[in-house]
DNA sequence: GCCGACCTGACAGCAACCTGAACGGCCTCG
DNA sequence: CGAGGCCGTTCAGGTTGCTGTCAGGTCGGC
């Protein structure tokens, strides 16, 4: 596991770096967002620790940019006691957790482990369909890095489509995976679920192939 | 299956391209990383063959960037004999396999098949008609690698022609595959669909055989 | 030039599709 | 036990865009 620490306080940054390194993980410390962006372009991190007040910009802006580019790497925000508003805004901007300074290093370890566990480390493959990502194992869907709640039926339709990206799936095939064999359904249920999925995921994810079925592209 | 070949040696690149194309797969050859990134943005590849020494950058940097953006497309690195260090670094950077130059084309085939199999990608051959490729199983048509949407009738006409390339197909035969037996049609519907197909695929794909029918050439 | 074959833009009709709304079943709370 | 919310399903009305047709134009052979 490789960690990116973005923190301009050299004392705190050095302490965290040593602690993380002592746990046997790789860690890069950046004090500027510019440097962090450069590091992100060349290295695949599995966790980012992000301070919000940085010399060349706001960490929240950085985080939102990250998520809007479809990057779903776990991010833990490091904030001072008096920045509660920023903290909430951080979670809304796509952070996974936060730590209030000053924090105990063992608490950092625990939170980092929890976040990494939640994300399944590096093992679980994400299926990417443009700005939409789905984790088939965990039944999680994200749009631009933000999780979206789907009902059982909505998930079933999306999964059926996503398991064969770029392939046209007949409406009858989707019905078959929705209902038991032989369950005759004479309605437009699939159309309704597609409509609801489009409302949640964006209208350009599922394409209609008129007279044939539906398709998602990777 | 569609392959992206990134190689600046024109002799080697051309040979690999012809070989892969002869196996019935789509392949795009790029000599610069800029072009490769552009191609990746618009086309879904199922395999990348990557040379490391390129005129506008290092292939390893490109590969790491690809992986950090969450792209998991299989990558096979093409390296010279003396670049053992790069080879190891390549595998660490997210490559799936490597080939040492000069390599036998049959070895390329075997490794590519192994990698594709490992990723569960169904490597179904494409039907090639000049710059047009069609995947009969997935009902996908591409022109110069870019997907094109066809309506049901348009697809039916194209499929009827493409299943027998270089052979003249009578207009009545196309009508028979469009409509139920006995459905009398007293119009120029086939001509209209051919016209619409030419607009979408390019005017040189379907040739008119005056007084007889139509033909596509492979 | 003349004629038949073919091409193609336009258009009305219609089937397929979309989507807001409603309703009943199920579950969870209070 | 009842209220309320969520989900699945159905329906109806609106919308989209495919389809077949036609008319006028173009092309090729003689």
């Amino acid at each position: 596991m490789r960690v990116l620490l973005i923190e301009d306080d050299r004392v705190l940054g050095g302490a965290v770096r040593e602690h993380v390194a002592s746990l046997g993980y790789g860690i890069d410390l950046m004090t500027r967002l510019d440097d962090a962006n450069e590091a992100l372009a060349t290295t695949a991190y599995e966790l980012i620790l992000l301070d919000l007040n940085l010399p060349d910009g706001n960490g929240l802006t950085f985080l939102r940019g990250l998520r809007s580019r479809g990057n779903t790497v776990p991010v833990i925000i490091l904030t001072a006691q008096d920045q509660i508003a920023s903290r909430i805004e951080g979670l809304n901007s796509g952070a996974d957790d936060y730590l209030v300074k000053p924090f105990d290093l063992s608490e950092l370890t625990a939170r980092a482990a929890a976040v990494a566990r939640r994300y399944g480390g590096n093992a679980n493959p994400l299926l990417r369909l443009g700005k939409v990502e789905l984790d088939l194992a965990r039944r999680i869907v994200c749009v631009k890095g933000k999780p979206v709640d789907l009902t059982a039926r909505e998930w079933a339709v999306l999964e059926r489509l996503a398991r064969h990206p770029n392939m046209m799936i007949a409406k009858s095939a989707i019905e078959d995976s929705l209902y038991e064999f032989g369950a005759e359904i004479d309605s437009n249920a699939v159309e309704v679920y597609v409509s609801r999925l489009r409302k949640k995921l964006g209208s350009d994810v599922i394409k209609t192939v008129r007279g044939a079925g539906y398709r998602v592209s990777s």
Side-chain angles (χ1 to χ4, degrees), chain A residues 7-68:
Chain A
E7 167 64 67
D8 63 338
D9 182 335
R10 294 189 181 272
V11 177
L12 179 62
V16 171
R17 179 167 58 179
E18 283 202 16
H19 176 69
V20 172
S22 75
L23 297 172
Y25 303 126
I27 180 163
D28 295 332
L29 170 57
M30 303 289 159
T31 57
R32 299 173 53 82
L33 291 177
D34 284 346
D35 301 332
N37 270 319
E38 199 170 59
L40 276 169
T42 58
T43 309
Y45 293 97
E46 294 174 57
L47 176 64
I48 295 179
L49 304 174
L50 177 64
D51 186 22
L52 293 187
N53 288 320
L54 290 160
D56 61 336
N58 188 297
L60 283 181
T61 310
F62 171 85
L63 175 56
R64 275 193 288 267
L66 198 70
R67 295 302 189 221
S68 74

Side-chain angles (χ1 to χ4, degrees), chain A residues 119-128 133-138 140:
Chain A
Y119 275 79
N122 48 7
N124 61 328
L126 288 182
L127 200 50
R128 302 178 61 83
E133 293 171 347
L134 54 167
D135 184 332
L136 294 178
R138 294 175 195 286
I140 294 172

Side-chain angles (χ1 to χ4, degrees), chain A residues 33-217:
Chain A
L33 291 177
D34 284 346
D35 301 332
N37 270 319
E38 199 170 59
L40 276 169
T42 58
T43 309
Y45 293 97
E46 294 174 57
L47 176 64
I48 295 179
L49 304 174
L50 177 64
D51 186 22
L52 293 187
N53 288 320
L54 290 160
D56 61 336
N58 188 297
L60 283 181
T61 310
F62 171 85
L63 175 56
R64 275 193 288 267
L66 198 70
R67 295 302 189 221
S68 74
R69 292 198 299 277
N71 194 324
T72 59
V73 58
V75 172
I76 296 180
I77 288 181
L78 312 177
T79 107
Q81 184 66 47
D82 57 350
Q83 294 176 319
I84 301 176
S86 297
R87 226 149 66 208
I88 295 168
E89 200 183 341
L91 291 177
N92 286 335
S93 299
D96 298 276
D97 206 341
Y98 62 85
L99 273 170
V100 179
K101 299 185 203 175
F103 51 82
D104 198 278
L105 287 176
S106 62
E107 189 182 3
L108 168 62
T109 310
R111 300 246 185 182
V115 166
R117 203 180 318 115
R118 200 184 311 156
Y119 275 79
N122 48 7
N124 61 328
L126 288 182
L127 200 50
R128 302 178 61 83
L129 310 167
K131 68 190 174 191
V132 175
E133 293 171 347
L134 54 167
D135 184 332
L136 294 178
R138 294 175 195 286
R139 202 189 169 286
I140 294 172
V141 188
C142 292
V143 179
K144 294 179 184 172
K146 293 186 180 177
V148 171
D149 286 332
L150 296 186
T151 70
R153 290 284 198 245
E154 288 165 1
W155 171 262
V157 171
L158 180 60
E159 181 181 22
R160 182 69 181 81
L161 289 168
R163 280 193 188 277
H164 301 280
N166 303 318
M167 191 185 223
M168 207 274 302
I169 309 291
K171 209 187 303 187
S172 61
I174 301 175
E175 280 178 3
D176 289 347
S177 65
L178 234 50
Y179 306 100
E180 297 300 317
F181 175 79
E184 279 308 304
I185 186 167
D186 58 344
S187 78
N188 60 347
V190 172
E191 294 168 16
V192 173
Y193 294 130
V194 168
S195 171
R196 290 177 182 163
L197 279 170
R198 288 208 251 244
K199 204 183 293 180
K200 288 185 178 181
L201 306 179
S203 58
D204 51 345
V205 176
I206 302 177
K207 280 187 72 174
T208 302
V209 185
R210 206 159 235 268
Y214 296 92
R215 167 189 308 172
V216 298
S217 24

